[in-house]
Amino acid sequence: MTSEFARDFDSDFDCDLLVVGLGPVGDVLAALAQNHGLSVIAIERAPTPFPLPRAAVFDHEIMRIFQMIGVAEKIAPLCRAPERYQFHTACGQVLLDFENARVGPFGWAETYALHQPAVEEVLRARLYELGVRVQTGVAFERLAQDRDGVTVDVTDNGSPRQIRARYVVGCDGSWSPVREALGIKLDDYNFDEPWLVLDTIIDEPGDLPIVCQQICDPKRPVTHMAMSGKRFRWEFMIKPGETAEEMLDDARIRELLAPWNCADRIQIERKAVYRFHALVAETWRDGRVLLAGDAAHQMPPFAGQGMCSGIRDAANLAWKIAAVVRGEADDAVLDTYQEEREPHVRAIIGTAIAMGQIVCMLDETAAAERNRNMLARKSSGAQDVSVLYPDLAGGHLTDTAFAGALFPQPVTDEGERLDSLFGLDAVLISRSATDTTDLGVRRFSLDAPEIRKFAEPIGDWLTKAGADAVLIRPDRHVFGTGEAEALLGAWTERTRRKIAA
Ligand SMILES: Cc1cc2nc3c(=O)[nH]c(=O)nc-3n(C[C@H](O)[C@H](O)[C@H](O)COP(=O)(O)OP(=O)(O)OC[C@H]3O[C@@H](n4cnc5c(N)ncnc54)[C@H](O)[C@@H]3O)c2cc1C
């Protein structure tokens, strides 16, 4: 636990935070909140983690969050860092080519291909190590809120009981019983494409391409992903007139895989039909109850960002709930969660849908025109293949340069990463020393011995911002840049505004 927070626990409550649902988002939220010093109960309806993969890739921001909870070094060896993500025409011309840096600006490879159950196993084990009270076979049923907390009815391995918490977060997936209980509606983008998803193991991949690619063939759009180890995924678009049942038939699957020349070596781990869609919950907070991950938003998988977005929710929310429970922030700070996260998620949904529209084009004439246009833009150098998602805006941020951006994480030649100095605290880094004592912000001057090895990239970043100092939030987003004392003042004022009033 990095926080020095300690208090007598009020026996009217079973926990500060009840996390409902232990998919990847609930796992990360529970771990972060416990690390921030909260008392956390996490309930999960299923007795064991979901054994089959869904997410195929995640990005460097997410590995950085895994680093915050102390599991990045365990997860990295379980993953493969693909060098590219490509969109191809039916005859193999490259329409879009996203290059993934080996070490991106946040201190990790830009993209990782994963086997989701293996990663979830590490996350779940970490919860036990951290002392989160994990309760499996326990299903959320309903809740009632009052001024001080939330009483949740659960079914615990068949028997009813109650859990009393100060705050509840529904990380309970796309069907979210918590969202249902609150009567929160979904905003539907009306993107709705059915795809067959095949997860396979191939001991001898032979000449099977070890790549992540979309094959934009109007006859049958296909996704092919070399995941980690011997695992490969194919996704086949289901065309109008085809049924899920016929696509799941083994003979049909063999036909679909025939062009890949691997049918004799393939072990199918899972076959399932998914409808790829885009939905956003209209509100992510109702009093002391919040939603995160698929409970709050869902998107088609073409940008590989559904789980990533949920894990970003967890990182955004954990320190805010902790600050409120510790009495360091008014609970109005929780309103900044949706304010900051929703526009970010909607921007990514826009990207995922745009990618999906490129891939899912079934009209041969339109697809030929798409190919001509994209190839022309690519060869003229006019194509933009940066996948930078927007900075956070509004919310718990100042309006100074780079506020809302993720602060970079430089890595030394020896492999030391900047965040390893910070724990989960907010951090002020300034060119000159500052003596102000203030709540919960660790202060470093650029010439402090521990930070000196990172002084050059941080100094360059401060120069770009035209600032003497930067205040970085616990989720590693920049709160503001400028002069040290002014930033500390703004942090205190923003956090405490309502408490003081
Ligand atoms: C084919 C496919 C490909 C994808 N590819 C990617 C990708 O490449 N990259 C990416 O980032 N994302 C991807 N995604 C999305 C990603 O899988 C999801 O966004 C992510 O798994 C959601 O995590 P979550 O923790 O919010 O929800 P879930 O993983 O669904 O977890 C919710 C948990 O809540 C539990 N629960 C439900 N009801 C209750 C209850 N009443 N009481 C207690 N517990 C309950 C469930 O049992 C479950 O364990 C993909 C999805 C699909 C389908």
Side-chain angles (χ1 to χ4, degrees), residues 343-363:
H344 195 268
V345 164
R346 285 191 185 271
I348 294 181
I349 288 178
T351 302
I353 289 179
M355 287 179 169
Q357 283 163 340
I358 293 172
V359 178
C360 299
M361 205 172 272
L362 295 177
D363 181 282

Side-chain angles (χ1 to χ4, degrees), residues 127-294:
L127 297 189
Y128 288 106
E129 277 169 22
L130 290 170
V132 172
R133 282 171 286 160
V134 175
Q135 302 180 354
T136 55
V138 177
F140 167 92
E141 299 294 346
R142 64 193 76 79
L143 59 82
Q145 302 196 51
D146 52 57
R147 208 176 57 102
D148 302 319
V150 192
T151 303
V152 174
D153 287 309
V154 299
T155 304
D156 183 345
N157 295 285
S159 306
R161 69 177 168 91
Q162 291 190 322
I163 301 174
R164 177 96 174 128
R166 290 176 206 280
Y167 287 92
V168 172
V169 183
C171 303
D172 47 349
S174 54
W175 296 100
S176 179
V178 173
R179 189 184 66 226
E180 284 293 302
L182 297 171
I184 295 172
K185 297 207 164 36
L186 293 168
D187 175 21
D188 190 342
Y189 280 69
N190 293 318
F191 183 91
D192 183 21
E193 299 292 351
W195 282 63
L196 168 70
V197 178
L198 296 180
D199 282 302
T200 69
I201 298 175
I202 306 181
D203 283 332
E204 308 271 334
D207 55 3
L208 205 55
I210 307 293
V211 292
C212 293
Q213 60 186 184
Q214 302 286 350
I215 300 163
C216 307
D217 179 356
K219 290 193 172 60
R220 171 84 65 197
V222 179
T223 307
H224 165 72
M225 298 268 178
M227 317 267 273
S228 58
K230 296 171 174 176
R231 290 193 155 83
F232 291 79
R233 171 175 292 177
W234 279 272
E235 297 171 3
F236 297 94
M237 188 175 171
I238 301 181
K239 297 194 288 187
E242 293 174 333
T243 64
E245 200 187 13
E246 72 181 82
M247 295 298 283
L248 287 164
D249 180 76
D250 284 344
R252 190 59 186 274
I253 289 173
R254 270 197 301 279
E255 237 172 76
L256 291 166
L257 288 174
W260 301 86
N261 297 321
C262 56
D264 53 331
R265 290 167 284 148
I266 211 163
Q267 178 193 330
I268 295 182
E269 217 180 2
R270 187 265 297 262
K271 50 182 182 176
V273 168
Y274 278 95
R275 298 198 80 90
F276 294 159
H277 48 209
L279 302 161
V280 178
E282 284 177 354
T283 177
W284 301 13
R285 177 184 184 198
D286 179 341
R288 291 176 169 271
V289 185
L290 298 107
L291 302 175
D294 274 18

Side-chain angles (χ1 to χ4, degrees), residues 293-335:
D294 274 18
H297 45 74
Q298 293 146 53
M299 64 185 71
F302 303 103
Q305 282 291 323
M307 177 187 78
C308 295
S309 296
I311 289 176
R312 287 190 197 100
D313 295 344
N316 189 289
L317 197 48
W319 69 272
K320 291 178 181 172
I321 296 181
V324 173
V325 171
R326 293 199 297 236
E328 292 172 4
D330 183 86
D331 93 335
V333 80
L334 299 179
D335 290 331

Side-chain angles (χ1 to χ4, degrees), residues 388-453:
L388 289 177
Y389 296 123
D391 295 340
L392 301 183
H396 195 75
L397 299 162
T398 59
D399 56 7
T400 54
F402 293 117
L406 258 179
F407 193 69
Q409 175 169 234
V411 186
T412 64
D413 291 343
E414 292 71 43
E416 192 179 342
R417 294 182 171 83
L418 176 67
D419 290 3
S420 61
L421 302 178
F422 296 162
L424 290 181
D425 296 319
V427 171
L428 180 98
I429 307 175
S430 58
R431 290 191 196 274
S432 44
T434 160
D435 332 309
T436 314
T437 49
D438 215 321
L439 46 88
V441 179
R442 291 179 70 186
R443 271 157 291 124
F444 294 90
S445 78
L446 266 191
D447 56 7
E450 64 271 48
I451 215 159
R452 210 171 291 144
K453 48 188 164 279

